Amino acid sequence: MEFFEPNAFTYLMVSVIMFALGTVGVMIRRNAIVVFMCIELMLNAVNLALVTFSNMYDDDAGMLFVFFVMCVAAAEAVVGLAIIISLFRNKLDVDINQMNIFKW
């Protein structure tokens, strides 16, 4: 039995599935932490697609974009988790339907 070597189409299909799962998770779930994790899943799906296209076309620009996306995701994680922690301290709940603390 020969070892299966995935091609670019396989990686792109995994990326599409990951992005779709993240999108469904953002739309369906109401827990802020789960929504936050689904957004991170979507960012990782985009990174996988960028790396796949970068390898397909032998261009390093995709790798550079992945670096910038990872930097933005790290900054987003810090700010997002700080907001979630402050909301939990005030409301003792992380349900996004109950988050009206920022309204005037």
Side-chain angles (χ1 to χ4, degrees), residues 29-68:
R29 304 297 270 171
R30 293 293 157 226
N31 188 346
I33 296 173
V34 174
V35 170
F36 188 69
M37 287 172 32
C38 289
I39 291 171
E40 292 293 328
L41 183 66
M42 291 165 53
L43 287 172
N44 285 329
V46 171
N47 282 342
L48 180 61
L50 284 171
V51 168
T52 302
F53 284 125
S54 178
N55 285 335
M56 264 177 31
Y57 296 115
D58 291 329
D59 189 17
D60 291 335
M63 304 290 182
L64 184 65
F65 283 130
V66 167
F67 176 73
F68 287 122

Side-chain angles (χ1 to χ4, degrees), residues 1 3 8 13 15 21 23 25 28 32 48-49 55 57 61 64 66 79 82 86 88 90 92 94-95 98 100 102-103:
M1 185 170 180
F3 180 74
M13 284 299 107
S15 175
L21 285 173
T23 304
I28 290 177
L48 180 61
N55 285 335
Y57 296 115
L64 184 65
V66 167
V79 172
S86 69
F88 182 75
N90 290 332
L92 296 178
V94 289
D95 187 19
Q98 305 298 325
N100 58 2
F102 294 122
K103 291 183 181 177

Side-chain angles (χ1 to χ4, degrees), residues 83-101:
I83 290 172
I84 290 171
I85 289 171
S86 69
L87 287 173
F88 182 75
R89 284 183 180 173
N90 290 332
K91 298 269 188 176
L92 296 178
D93 190 18
V94 289
D95 187 19
I96 60 173
N97 288 331
Q98 305 298 325
M99 289 188 193
N100 58 2
I101 194 169

